[in-house]
Amino acid sequence: MHMTHDATAPAAAAITFDDFLAVDIRVGTIVAAEPFPEARKPAYKLTIDFGPTIGIKRSSAQITEHYALEELVGRQVAAVVNFPPRQIGPMMSEVLTLGFPDDAGKVVLVAPSKDVTNGGRLF
């Protein structure tokens, strides 16, 4: 599956509401952020708390251009929580942390505009 991050790309093919519901996007709070020197592209290892139902999950995120490690802890992020875990170097990435590209294609994290309860589902 090829994804384009290009702002000029046309909208993807039409989907049903059930297709949308199949993608489980939740909000969580970053509780730990660590360097990830083994990653092929510059990245951090994130530990994210999605509340009591989903729990604590790990994610590899290529967000080194816009975010310093020390500013990530306590920040809320959105992530897809129902992809199968993916081995990235020595770590297992359990969720896909979401972002949008800036003009240079570097990741800007998606976050709610006000604090919300961890584990809340996007609708």
Side-chain angles (χ1 to χ4, degrees):
M1 177 179 90
H2 177 72
M3 253 181 16
T4 180
H5 303 294
D6 184 351
T8 63
I15 62 170
T16 67
F17 191 65
D18 284 344
D19 291 332
F20 169 71
L21 290 178
V23 182
D24 193 350
I25 299 173
R26 305 284 181 124
V27 64
T29 299
I30 298 171
V31 294
E34 306 157 74
F36 192 4
E38 307 92 341
R40 280 199 306 272
K41 295 181 180 173
Y44 295 143
K45 294 178 195 172
L46 303 179
T47 304
I48 307 167
D49 181 356
F50 291 97
T53 305
I54 304 290
I56 305 283
K57 300 290 181 184
R58 308 272 325 266
S59 182
S60 167
Q62 295 172 10
I63 56 173
T64 58
E65 292 87 356
H66 288 302
Y67 304 95
L69 283 172
E70 57 274 8
E71 69 178 302
L72 289 168
V73 172
R75 177 186 287 267
Q76 287 197 304
V77 293
V80 177
V81 299
N82 65 329
F83 280 137
R86 206 170 130 218
Q87 189 76 41
I88 300 180
M91 85 167 279
M92 190 62 78
S93 188
E94 301 172 292
V95 300
L96 176 67
T97 304
L98 299 175
F100 288 112
D102 68 7
D103 288 343
K106 306 304 181 189
V107 180
V108 175
L109 291 168
V110 174
S113 56
K114 297 186 186 309
D115 281 348
V116 294
T117 303
N118 286 335
R121 186 170 179 175
L122 182 77
F123 61 85

